[in-house]
Amino acid sequence: MLCLELAWRFIIARKRPMLLSLSGIVFGVAFFVLTQAQTSGFEQFFIRTILGTNGAIRISDQFQDNVGTVEKVDQDGKVEFLFHSREDSLYREGVDQPALIYEALKDYPEIMGVSEIIEGNGVLNTGSRKSSIEIKGIRWVDHAQASDLISQIIDGSIDEFAADQMAVLLGSRISQRLNLKVGDRVRLIGGTGNLHLRVSGIFETGVSQIDKNRIYLHMGTARSFLGRFSGGSVFQVALKNPNRAPAIAQQLQNVLNHRAVSWQEREKVWLDVFKALRVSSGITVSCILLLSGLGIFNVFAILVIEKTRDIAILRSIGFSPQDVSAIFLWQGAILLSAGVFVGSLFGYAGTFLISVIPLRIRGIFSTDNFVVNWDLDHYLMAATIALFFVSFATWIPARRASKVEPAKIIRETL
Amino acid sequence: MDLNGGNHPVSDSLRVENLCHSFVDAGTSVDVLKGVSLEARSSEITSIAGPSGCGKSTLLYLMGLLDRPCSGKIFMNDVEVQDLNDIDRTRARNKSIGFVFQFHFLIKELTALENVRLPLLKSGTDRSTADEKSIALLNDLGLKNKSHRPAYKLSGGEQQRVAIARSLANSPKYLLADEPTGNLDSKNSDGVFELLLQMAQSLNLSVVLVTHNEKLAGRADRRFIMKDGLILA
């Protein structure tokens, strides 16, 4: 505690250089938190939307192995052979025996919801405008459990959809493009002919690609329109823990003999883009912390030179080299703690301010505000990076201080 | 290490035998001490005088375990101490040795009281006892109302008295003073010397005084004169 007390006294005796050093840490931590909150905010928004719209796992085509690899596994004296393949498999479109697959998936403990979907394409025609769309035929009760569809409906309701077999749910961008409102009639062209549908709801996921292309129909209506009266469907699966999707997808694929793709694999391109953005901004902002570390190094290096005589006198009255070193390390620790604390407060306040800035984006995402992610990990990461730079910046001068030879310094002072 | 004597007879003397030391200066080895032997006894002031560069300060730092001799022996309470490890040397400096230098060497960020109590707190004395003892020492040295004043706001004589109080805080057995009056006027010099004399007698201290001042050196109980790294008399 004596070393801590001396460290504190040395700091408050040098307010200006110490405040400069402190401000470097404060701004570094605050900017780190801010940039991470923004970049990961959009990433989390994307992930939430994708999970809520397309589920954690998609089970599609059945495959037959043509060429593969055989692995021999010895376990408790038993010998098993595992066959691995996918790339070299022969796929058959759609899920075979959907009812059986559905029942099997429902019993899987980590699965929260399963929805069978029939997919196809068509053109919506209002008379004055046309738009190509993707059709998703669903059983709404199942789909509501495997997605956030109900909460994504911004106009109309799922009840209206449920009540009418000829009802359609439109993506918000389709409704804008075709100028359609709830209750309007619209013609679906393609497949086996024409269907006259009634708009029962408009949904918005926030991901433009979905909102401007997707419509939902009842399963029976979609099958009839697409002329696929059995089979050919896919499954959308929601998980209790979406982070386990890759492992569970692998298990399902092995057990069901159908292609199962996790959301991480499905959205790899976008996730890689977000990761690159996050790492890039992290590196950029870490440079601020690096610069503040250099500033602290400079201040402490000068301080050690200034305090050489005091170090010698402390040594002469019984302070060990480790004690001397501790005095300087404590100074670094005080600056670090104060910097991380104040920087985190600024980062928190800044993140809040940014989250309320009106920002209309209609590109990859649809949002009216900056999307931010409140994550404790950002603060811990900022603190860790600051700890790394500040430790390094104080450790070298502290080590130098501990190596001061008292007799030499006192002799040279006289 | 037991500098209090252990099974040895308690003499509280500080003794050096055939002490040699050299520095490397600009690539050349310079012999500063060439076999110095002397003894400083308790309750006495031992003065070491001599011209600049004769090695008297170096001898003092070796006796105070601030440096290691090239050869020779140092005894504290008849215990050989020149080869002690760094931890024991640090402990001995804290508990058994007090230093006073020409320039007071106070820590300017601290008050007089805080400077004096530093060795006490370092030795593990609790804060209230350390404060009590430090204030008593400052009072004894005539700094009754100045204990809470920042060190840099004290006069030269006052600062030197604070430095003496600090050197005595842990009740050391040996007080090593390197030109303690070198930076003071004659009145303050006499005052400091009287103080050292009084402390040596009342606290049974072995005081080693390195000085240029022949008048003060002459008043010591034991006198040594050094020249070119050797004791002349």
Side-chain angles (χ1 to χ4, degrees):
Chain A
M1 289 308 286
L2 184 57
C3 294
L4 173 60
E5 190 182 330
L6 281 172
W8 175 246
R9 299 300 290 270
F10 286 173
I11 280 185
I12 57 172
R14 281 163 192 75
K15 289 192 182 70
R16 191 174 294 178
M18 292 300 175
L19 276 175
L20 275 175
S21 303
L22 184 66
S23 60
I25 304 173
V26 168
F27 286 119
V29 168
F31 280 125
F32 188 91
V33 168
L34 266 178
T35 54
Q36 291 299 301
Q38 288 171 57
T39 51
S40 73
F42 281 108
E43 184 181 8
Q44 291 304 314
F45 175 72
F46 178 78
I47 291 170
R48 263 199 317 274
T49 305
I50 284 300
L51 285 173
T53 308
N54 290 340
I57 295 173
R58 178 187 159 98
I59 298 168
S60 52
D61 309 332
Q62 184 191 21
F63 61 82
Q64 289 179 327
D65 293 316
N66 261 353
V67 183
T69 55
V70 177
E71 185 189 5
K72 184 183 167 190
V73 180
D74 292 318
Q75 208 171 26
D76 300 332
K78 292 178 188 171
V79 177
E80 290 181 12
F81 291 93
L82 293 177
F83 198 83
H84 296 285
S85 71
R86 194 163 84 180
E87 287 72 20
D88 297 316
S89 299
L90 179 67
Y91 286 95
R92 282 208 314 231
E93 193 186 343
V95 171
D96 189 39
Q97 307 261 22
L100 288 177
I101 298 257
Y102 180 82
E103 287 307 318
L105 290 173
K106 279 286 220 188
D107 290 339
Y108 206 88
E110 293 192 67
I111 290 176
M112 211 166 63
V114 180
S115 173
E116 185 185 350
I117 302 169
I118 184 89
E119 296 176 328
N121 296 302
V123 175
L124 279 181
N125 187 350
T126 61
S128 57
R129 284 185 179 183
K130 289 180 184 175
S131 179
S132 297
I133 44 84
E134 290 171 3
I135 300 164
K136 301 268 180 187
I138 57 169
R139 288 187 193 91
W140 75 268
V141 177
D142 288 343
H143 201 73
Q145 286 184 334
S147 73
D148 295 334
L149 178 62
I150 293 176
S151 62
Q152 287 169 348
I153 294 175
I154 56 170
D155 198 6
S157 72
I158 197 74
D159 293 335
E160 287 182 54
F161 179 73
D164 183 355
Q165 282 300 306
M166 298 307 283
V168 59
L169 291 170
L170 299 181
S172 59
R173 303 283 289 274
I174 299 172
S175 76
Q176 284 165 13
R177 199 164 59 228
L178 299 180
N179 199 23
L180 287 169
K181 298 184 290 296
V182 172
D184 288 351
R185 298 273 170 185
V186 63
R187 209 147 52 96
L188 179 62
I189 307 167
T192 57
N194 293 343
L195 278 181
H196 287 272
L197 303 168
R198 190 179 67 82
V199 179
S200 62
I202 293 163
F203 65 88
E204 185 169 88
T205 63
V207 177
S208 298
Q209 196 60 27
I210 296 170
D211 293 339
K212 70 182 180 188
N213 286 313
R214 186 175 295 184
I215 67 165
Y216 290 106
L217 299 178
H218 287 282
M219 176 69 88
T221 311
R223 280 196 180 283
S224 157
F225 175 75
L226 296 169
R228 297 212 294 259
F229 296 98
S230 65
S233 54
V234 298
F235 277 93
Q236 178 173 319
V237 177
L239 297 177
K240 289 173 184 165
N241 179 5
N243 292 329
R244 295 246 309 127
I248 295 172
Q250 187 62 50
Q251 279 178 9
L252 293 178
Q253 181 165 288
N254 291 339
V255 172
L256 302 174
N257 222 33
H258 279 71
R259 182 182 166 88
V261 180
S262 67
W263 64 273
Q264 290 95 331
E265 188 180 350
R266 195 176 66 215
E267 309 295 342
K268 191 172 184 311
V269 174
W270 279 113
L271 293 175
D272 283 349
V273 170
F274 285 121
K275 191 177 172 188
L277 276 173
R278 199 155 31 89
V279 171
S280 163
S281 66
I283 290 170
T284 308
V285 179
S286 295
C287 288
I288 298 176
L289 284 166
L290 172 67
L291 289 175
S292 79
L294 289 174
I296 290 173
F297 176 81
N298 205 22
V299 168
F300 275 59
I302 293 168
L303 184 63
V304 168
I305 294 167
E306 279 179 4
K307 300 302 277 178
T308 306
R309 206 188 64 174
D310 287 349
I311 293 166
I313 205 69
L314 287 172
R315 293 289 310 279
S316 78
I317 61 175
F319 281 70
S320 66
Q322 290 75 22
D323 292 328
V324 170
S325 182
I327 292 169
F328 288 90
L329 290 175
W330 270 120
Q331 290 181 69
I334 292 168
L335 285 180
L336 176 71
S337 309
V340 167
F341 180 72
V342 179
S344 296
L345 286 181
F346 279 1
Y348 186 88
T351 304
F352 174 75
L353 287 176
I354 282 178
S355 73
V356 296
I357 292 174
L359 178 79
R360 188 179 157 80
I361 298 176
R362 293 291 182 271
I364 303 164
F365 309 110
S366 296
T367 175
D368 295 321
N369 288 89
F370 244 103
V371 184
V372 296
N373 181 26
W374 300 95
D375 193 339
L376 182 65
D377 284 352
H378 299 153
Y379 297 83
L380 294 176
M381 218 183 297
T384 307
I385 294 170
L387 172 70
F388 176 76
F389 287 131
V390 175
S391 303
F392 195 68
T394 50
W395 180 70
I396 293 173
R399 193 164 168 271
R400 196 176 294 165
S402 73
K403 292 197 179 302
V404 165
E405 292 178 38
K408 185 169 178 277
I409 299 304
I410 293 166
R411 196 182 299 115
E412 285 171 0
T413 310
L414 296 176
Chain B
M1 187 206 64
D2 182 12
L3 293 180
N4 292 322
N7 293 327
H8 301 274
V10 178
S11 68
D12 282 354
S13 69
L14 180 56
R15 185 157 51 90
V16 297
E17 283 181 9
N18 205 24
L19 215 55
C20 294
H21 198 56
S22 57
F23 299 125
V24 176
D25 187 18
T28 313
S29 180
V30 181
D31 293 329
V32 186
L33 297 179
K34 301 169 184 168
V36 173
S37 300
L38 62 81
E39 184 178 14
R41 293 176 186 156
S42 65
S43 308
E44 286 184 1
I45 293 186
T46 303
S47 69
I48 304 170
S52 293
C54 69
K56 52 188 189 301
S57 291
T58 302
L59 173 62
L60 197 77
Y61 302 149
L62 291 172
M63 292 169 88
L65 306 181
L66 279 175
D67 211 346
R68 289 177 186 273
C70 295
S71 65
K73 291 178 178 177
I74 306 167
F75 295 92
M76 287 182 176
N77 277 358
D78 296 329
V79 178
E80 210 173 303
V81 293
Q82 76 280 352
D83 294 326
L84 289 179
N85 63 32
D86 282 340
I87 296 169
D88 285 337
R89 294 166 79 84
T90 300
R91 196 175 297 141
R93 283 201 300 271
N94 178 242
K95 297 205 168 176
S96 304
I97 305 167
F99 286 98
V100 183
F101 301 100
Q102 177 178 354
F103 299 100
H104 50 82
F105 281 170
L106 297 179
I107 293 173
K108 71 175 192 301
E109 288 87 352
L110 306 180
T111 63
L113 171 65
E114 288 166 338
N115 266 287
V116 175
R117 77 180 179 194
L118 265 182
L120 284 161
L121 295 178
K122 185 69 204 104
S123 66
T125 309
D126 67 83
R127 195 164 287 257
S128 60
T129 312
D131 282 355
E132 217 172 275
K133 194 169 179 187
S134 303
I135 288 170
L137 268 169
L138 287 168
N139 289 349
D140 288 348
L141 293 171
L143 296 163
K144 192 173 182 178
N145 299 318
K146 309 218 165 150
S147 55
H148 293 288
R149 193 169 284 195
Y152 67 90
K153 286 193 175 172
L154 298 170
S155 70
E158 287 170 339
Q159 288 183 351
Q160 194 59 294
R161 276 184 283 161
V162 173
I164 292 172
R166 183 178 61 191
S167 71
L168 297 171
N170 258 339
S171 307
K173 298 186 184 315
Y174 317 106
L175 183 65
L176 309 181
D178 189 5
E179 302 278 9
T181 60
N183 208 27
L184 302 176
D185 56 32
S186 61
K187 188 183 166 200
N188 272 316
S189 294
D190 286 343
V192 166
F193 185 83
E194 288 302 328
L195 203 58
L196 292 176
L197 196 61
Q198 188 189 327
M199 293 295 169
Q201 284 163 357
S202 62
L203 301 172
N204 288 329
L205 284 173
S206 302
V207 178
V208 181
L209 173 69
V210 164
T211 182
H212 274 110
N213 189 324
E214 286 183 12
K215 186 181 144 205
L216 293 182
R219 291 176 63 189
D221 300 296
R222 293 160 68 80
R223 280 163 283 168
F224 295 94
I225 296 170
M226 279 186 74
K227 192 178 179 189
D228 295 333
L230 291 167
I231 296 281
L232 297 182

